[in-house]
Amino acid sequence: DQQVKQNSPSLSVQEGRISILNCDYTNSMFDYFLWYKKYPAEGPTFLISISSIKDKNEDGRFTVFLNKSAKHLSLHIVPSQPGDSAVYFCAAINTGGFKTIFGAGTRLFVKA
Amino acid sequence: DAGITQSPRHKVTETGTPVTLRCHQTENHRYMYWYRQDPGHGLRLIHYSYGVKDTDKGEVSDGYSVSRSKTEDFLLTLESATSSQTSVYFCAIRGTTDTQYFGPGTRLTVL
């Protein structure tokens, strides 16, 4: 039972354009959401997060949008750069618990 | 940099042998986690710890055990390694917020 789903295994985008990565969740108790970025042979690194009391959080080129009614979040990268090519994991937390639930990841390719 | 190291970084072993992976943190965080990463599955929680000698199972704990005798060290043991345990293993800590920070990973191959 996947509580956090990233339905696109991969995404290819031209440099300078927008990358949109999507994530859906099923557990309405999740109240904190995160995106992680992972390069080959490295550990995942935290990218950006959003609390369920917000619908948008922005950090430079990265913006996360949360639609609670649809149980959907998305990560926008504008403009996309070749260095953004990595695997992106969506994650969700019920802040009353200890665990973070991760999606399967989306591999982003940014073409120069 | 969350001050997390993992050892070894790479290991090749044979089916049936015991294997212990070590996670070490320098920042005295209470919560520590072990995950495995496999294609198509993302990061799956094996075990976690919420204090010294306090551990609990995650979603894929069969075949694994853990120990935490000191705040800074969290050990993952495969009592008798199987080929299905070939994976990349990541340790993580939870900081003062709910965000987890990951170590560099251990690539384990079981032949």
Side-chain angles (χ1 to χ4, degrees):
Chain A
D1 177 27
Q2 280 189 301
Q3 297 185 65
V4 177
K5 299 179 184 179
Q6 294 178 255
N7 291 319
S8 298
S10 65
L11 173 68
S12 185
V13 171
Q14 198 69 34
E15 180 180 9
R17 306 295 290 266
I18 184 171
S19 296
I20 300 176
L21 294 88
N22 293 303
C23 178
D24 296 296
Y25 63 96
T26 57
N27 189 339
S28 58
M29 296 299 292
F30 290 144
D31 54 4
Y32 190 64
F33 304 90
L34 311 95
W35 285 93
Y36 287 81
K37 176 178 181 179
K38 186 186 178 305
Y39 292 119
E42 295 182 10
T45 56
F46 168 70
L47 188 58
I48 192 169
S49 62
I50 187 167
S51 165
S52 59
I53 62 173
K54 296 185 176 182
D55 55 17
K56 177 182 175 181
N57 188 28
E58 203 169 344
D59 183 1
R61 297 186 296 113
F62 303 91
T63 303
V64 56
F65 295 92
L66 175 62
N67 182 332
K68 284 175 57 181
S69 61
K71 294 189 176 68
H72 177 84
L73 63 156
S74 60
L75 175 68
H76 293 212
I77 306 173
V78 183
S80 301
Q81 299 173 353
D84 296 329
S85 296
V87 176
Y88 290 80
F89 291 103
C90 170
I93 300 173
N94 171 1
T95 53
F98 302 128
K99 301 178 187 177
T100 302
I101 308 300
F102 289 84
T106 296
R107 184 176 297 276
L108 174 66
F109 300 94
V110 180
K111 298 175 289 187
Chain B
D1 183 6
I4 307 168
T5 57
Q6 293 185 232
S7 59
R9 294 294 314 279
H10 301 271
K11 185 168 183 68
V12 180
T13 191
E14 294 190 350
T15 298
T17 60
V19 176
T20 295
L21 309 182
R22 179 183 183 238
C23 177
H24 179 79
Q25 59 143 332
T26 59
E27 301 191 4
N28 213 34
H29 293 293
R30 179 181 174 191
Y31 298 100
M32 298 184 75
Y33 303 81
W34 277 107
Y35 292 88
R36 59 180 289 175
Q37 186 203 357
D38 304 289
H41 292 281
L43 294 157
R44 293 182 293 174
L45 181 65
I46 305 171
H47 281 281
Y48 64 99
S49 171
Y50 45 96
V52 173
K53 299 193 190 308
D54 292 323
T55 65
D56 206 348
K57 296 179 180 180
E59 60 182 305
V60 290
S61 59
D62 287 349
Y64 302 95
S65 62
V66 290
S67 66
R68 192 165 178 204
S69 58
K70 299 185 290 184
T71 299
E72 58 265 37
D73 289 325
F74 192 30
L75 304 180
L76 176 70
T77 297
L78 292 65
E79 301 291 346
S80 177
T82 67
S83 58
S84 65
Q85 294 175 311
T86 292
S87 188
V88 181
Y89 291 86
F90 290 102
C91 174
I93 59 94
R94 193 174 89 176
T96 51
T97 65
D98 290 305
T99 303
Q100 291 188 14
Y101 297 91
F102 287 83
T106 294
R107 181 172 293 277
L108 176 67
T109 301
V110 183
L111 301 175

